[in-house]
């Protein structure tokens, strides 16, 4: 009996010991899950990054669009195969884009620290250019009608036309903005007073961001002022033409010499004063731009012209709460430049024009024109180019789902007596102009358009837009032109004549 009782006690001890050991191995109570919390400090859409006091917002859009009667989603049929108006010209151009942006903000004892990045992934259809033997060659969609093989930092893979772009990447802290952001010179609507069409002249536009170091002082009641040093090479330089390199084919493409830009020496210095209140907005902007040319000839021993500073001034006005309806707005701006033409012909506007049309006295007619900041010839100094322009729009909301806008733009380019003499002397040496023709590189360009948007549900918008452009060129007479294989134009006599073009843009966009 004692043996049985000892056996039972021993077995019980083992069981309790085992149970105790198993209880010791059980996990402790799990820490409560920290769910993502809404951050209401900076508006809708922000959330706290778990474990931090930093708020983050993700956003973007997906866009599909088709441009008609042009080879560019950025502008009209202004040059290249689009301006040729022949079988190489596109009837349509298609583009799809996904935009992704990341906005982070953290409250500190110095104020809010903000970072912002905006990335785009794009596919654009391309064009076929002549290669001079009856054949053609496909150029990827990253090339547009301005002749660029990449646009706004977008790099093409050379196969499908796909591209990756960085629009914005900046830090803001204690009134400073550092990185790639919209220029302080720009109006708040950048290139778009009421339009979707990218190529409006008549004002500045760096809507895809320019590298800068900017300080903004906020005086309260919507009044602020900014001073900025901004990279001039990306958006604020057109060309500095060395007229000794003028060729017949170049002139017919709107190039009055070889582009002889030197390295970047000074950023553009920009300042603005802004009043942004319930009635609307007023902004005055000023920019100083250093024109730094390369050499007179192929090597450094040929010498060079001295630097010459250009400048630009712009006034912008927005009027809200107008009696035509809730949300209606009028946006207008005007600009004058001297040696800083990009502040009139913004970053997505064309600076070279070569547009063909019909003629009753020659094989065809042509209107060509070019924009530069300055021109020079061997042994001369820089002669700056002067421009002025304006653009504006009126937007009316028919109801919560429909709105329409009408818009217009105008720009005038003047080479001055010295610049015109240099350009025309170079053209005369090519024997391009026929007897009795006159040379004048000045020109004007005007644009007018309308757009209607339909938003059937929140953040989904369909739009249709038509833009008319008129090129008022100042050459008279005709040219005995050489063959231009890239646009399949034969050697023939072409009449100098003003040109017109119409383009349409159809777009669907879903914001998120």
């Amino acid at each position: 009996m004692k043996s049985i009782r000892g056996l039972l006690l021993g077995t019980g001890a083992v069981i309790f010991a085992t149970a105790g050991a198993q209880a010791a191995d059980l996990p402790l109570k799990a820490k409560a899950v920290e769910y993502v919390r809404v951050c209401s400090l900076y508006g809708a859409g922000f959330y706290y990054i778990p474990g931090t006091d930093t708020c983050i917002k993700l956003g973007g859009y997906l866009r599909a669009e088709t441009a008609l009667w042009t080879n560019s989603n950025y502008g009209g049929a202004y040059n290249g195969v689009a301006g040729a108006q022949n079988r190489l010209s596109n009837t349509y151009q298609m583009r799809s884009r996904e935009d992704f942006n990341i906005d982070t903000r953290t409250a500190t004892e110095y104020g809010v620290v903000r970072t912002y990045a905006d990335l785009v992934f794009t596919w654009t259809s391309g064009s076929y250019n002549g290669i001079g033997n009856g054949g053609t060659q496909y150029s990827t969609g990253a090339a547009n009608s301005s002749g660029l093989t990449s646009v706004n930092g977008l790099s093409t893979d050379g196969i499908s036309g796909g591209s990756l772009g960085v629009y914005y990447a900046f830090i803001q802290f204690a009134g400073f903005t550092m990185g790639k952001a919209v220029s302080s010179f720009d109006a708040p609507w950048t290139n778009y007073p009421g339009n979707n069409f990218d190529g409006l002249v008549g004002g500045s536009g760096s809507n895809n961001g320019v590298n800068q170091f900017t300080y903004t002082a906020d005086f309260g009641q919507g009044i602020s002022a900014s001073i900025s040093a901004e990279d001039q090479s990306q958006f604020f330089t057109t060309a500095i033409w060395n007229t000794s390199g003028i060729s017949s084919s170049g002139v017919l493409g709107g190039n009055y010499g070889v582009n002889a830009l030197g390295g970047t020496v000074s950023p553009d210095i920009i300042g603005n004063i802004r009043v942004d209140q319930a009635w609307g907005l007023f902004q005055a902007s000023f920019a100083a731009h250093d024109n730094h040319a390369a050499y007179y000839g192929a090597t450094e021993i040929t010498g060079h012209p001295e630097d010459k500073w250009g400048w630009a001034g712009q006034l912008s006005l927005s009027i809200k709460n107008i009696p035509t309806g809730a949300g209606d707005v009028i946006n207008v701006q005007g600009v004058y430049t001297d040696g800083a033409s990009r502040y009139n012909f913004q970053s997505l506007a064309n600076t070279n024009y070569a547009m063909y049309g019909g003629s009753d006295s020659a094989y065809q007619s042509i209107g060509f024109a070019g924009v530069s900041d300055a021109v020079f010839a061997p042994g001369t100094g820089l002669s700056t180019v002067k421009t002025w322009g304006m653009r504006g729009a009126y937007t009316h909301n028919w109801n919560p789902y429909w709105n329409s806008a009408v818009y217009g733009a105008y720009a005038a380019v003047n080479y001055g007596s010295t610049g015109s003499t240099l350009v025309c002397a170079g053209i005369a040496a090519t024997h391009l102009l026929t007897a009795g023709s006159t040379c004048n590189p000045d020109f004007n360009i005007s644009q007018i358009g309308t757009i209607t948007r339909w938003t059937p549900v929140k953040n989904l918008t369909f739009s249709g837009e038509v833009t008319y452009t008129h090129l008022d060129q100042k050459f008279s007479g005709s040219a005995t032109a050489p063959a231009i294989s890239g646009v399949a134009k034969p050697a023939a006599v072409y009449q100098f004549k003003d040109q017109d073009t119409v383009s349409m843009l159809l777009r669907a966009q879903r914001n998120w």
Side-chain angles (χ1 to χ4, degrees):
M1 188 70 177
K2 288 182 179 179
S3 299
I4 294 173
R5 184 168 57 184
L7 178 62
L8 292 172
L9 290 172
T11 302
V14 170
I15 292 171
F16 280 113
T18 302
Q22 290 175 340
D25 291 340
L26 289 174
L28 299 175
K29 184 177 180 181
K31 185 179 180 181
V33 176
E34 183 178 0
Y35 293 100
V36 175
R37 295 180 294 131
V38 172
C39 174
S40 59
L41 297 175
Y42 311 110
F46 281 91
Y47 296 87
Y48 283 101
I49 299 175
T52 75
D53 58 355
T54 296
C55 299
I56 187 170
K57 179 180 180 180
L58 305 179
Y61 62 81
L62 194 147
R63 175 187 298 169
E65 63 185 12
T66 299
L68 302 178
W69 311 306
T70 179
N71 288 57
S72 169
N73 287 76
Y74 294 93
Y78 297 144
N79 63 18
V81 291
Q85 298 296 319
N86 58 19
R87 292 185 64 83
L88 299 185
S89 307
N90 285 354
T91 303
Y92 69 91
Q93 178 98 353
M94 303 184 75
R95 180 171 63 185
S96 299
R97 169 173 292 171
E98 170 62 39
D99 177 280
F100 177 62
N101 56 67
I102 307 167
D103 190 347
T104 71
R105 307 189 194 189
T106 307
T108 74
E109 60 269 31
Y110 297 98
V112 175
V113 176
R114 182 191 185 197
T115 68
Y116 187 84
D118 188 14
L119 313 175
V120 290
F121 309 88
T122 305
W123 192 94
T124 307
S125 58
S127 302
Y128 287 92
N129 296 300
I131 55 176
N133 60 0
T136 59
Q137 183 175 12
Y138 185 75
S139 62
T140 58
N144 72 356
S145 63
S146 65
L148 300 176
T149 56
S150 64
V151 178
N152 302 319
L154 304 183
S155 59
T156 175
D157 61 16
I159 300 174
S160 66
S163 58
L164 169 64
V166 179
Y167 278 3
Y168 306 124
F170 61 83
I171 299 170
Q172 289 180 320
F173 174 68
F176 291 94
T177 298
M178 299 156 280
K180 196 167 185 281
V182 171
S183 171
S184 299
F185 192 90
D186 290 359
W189 50 85
T190 62
N191 310 353
Y192 310 98
N195 50 296
N196 285 346
F197 177 78
D198 289 315
L200 280 191
V201 298
S204 69
S206 60
N207 65 299
N208 298 325
V210 58
N211 284 317
Q212 62 188 270
F213 186 85
T214 300
Y215 178 72
T216 300
D218 189 341
F219 303 110
Q221 298 184 340
I223 302 173
S224 64
S226 297
I227 184 71
S228 182
E230 304 187 10
D231 176 27
Q232 67 157 252
S233 61
Q234 183 184 13
F235 283 153
F236 299 140
T237 298
T238 56
I240 298 177
W241 279 322
N242 183 341
T243 59
S244 68
I246 283 180
S247 66
S248 295
S249 59
V251 170
L252 295 173
N255 295 286
Y256 301 138
V258 291
N259 193 357
L261 290 165
T264 53
V265 174
S266 172
D268 283 13
I269 308 303
I270 296 173
N272 77 36
I273 298 174
R274 179 184 294 185
V275 179
D276 189 354
Q277 298 175 340
W279 61 266
L281 174 142
F282 172 79
Q283 178 175 304
S285 309
F286 178 84
H289 173 83
D290 178 43
N291 290 293
H292 180 74
Y295 297 101
Y296 290 132
T299 66
E300 59 189 32
I301 63 172
T302 59
H304 60 83
E306 296 300 318
D307 285 19
K308 190 171 185 178
W309 280 85
W311 64 275
Q314 179 173 268
L315 299 177
S316 306
L317 177 67
S318 179
I319 304 175
K320 304 175 183 177
N321 302 319
I322 56 180
T324 55
D328 290 5
V329 62
I330 296 174
N331 295 323
V332 294
Q333 63 195 105
V335 65
Y336 182 87
T337 75
D338 183 354
S341 302
R342 261 301 186 197
Y343 289 95
N344 189 350
F345 290 79
Q346 46 88 4
S347 61
L348 297 180
N350 280 73
T351 55
N352 301 93
Y353 299 84
M355 302 166 64
Y356 291 83
S359 173
D360 55 7
S361 61
Y363 171 70
Q364 287 181 346
S365 65
I366 184 173
F368 57 82
V371 183
S372 70
D373 295 329
V375 299
F376 70 94
T380 75
L382 294 179
S383 176
T384 55
V385 176
K386 299 175 176 61
T387 81
W388 71 273
M390 59 186 299
R391 65 176 175 233
Y394 163 64
T395 300
H396 173 65
N397 293 276
W398 302 101
N399 56 46
Y401 308 102
W402 291 87
N403 74 53
S404 298
V406 291
Y407 58 86
Y410 181 84
V413 176
N414 189 309
Y415 278 79
S417 59
T418 302
S420 294
T421 298
L422 293 175
V423 169
C424 291
I427 293 176
T430 68
H431 305 290
L432 175 67
L433 275 60
T434 60
S437 299
T438 60
C439 172
N440 184 348
D442 298 348
F443 74 97
N444 308 319
I445 187 163
S446 52
Q447 299 163 314
I448 189 169
T450 183
I451 181 172
T452 294
R453 303 176 180 92
W454 175 46
T455 305
V457 296
K458 185 178 180 180
N459 294 327
L460 176 64
T461 300
F462 302 92
S463 62
E465 180 176 18
V466 176
T467 306
Y468 163 79
T469 301
H470 175 72
L471 173 65
D472 175 19
Q473 57 88 46
K474 303 301 182 181
F475 285 81
S476 67
S478 59
T480 304
I484 304 178
S485 60
V487 294
K489 291 299 181 182
V493 175
Y494 292 82
Q495 178 189 6
F496 296 136
K497 191 176 180 180
D498 297 350
Q499 302 293 332
D500 306 278
T501 186
V502 175
S503 63
M504 175 178 281
L505 183 64
L506 305 175
R507 174 181 293 178
Q509 181 166 315
R510 168 73 160 93
N511 298 331
W512 56 276

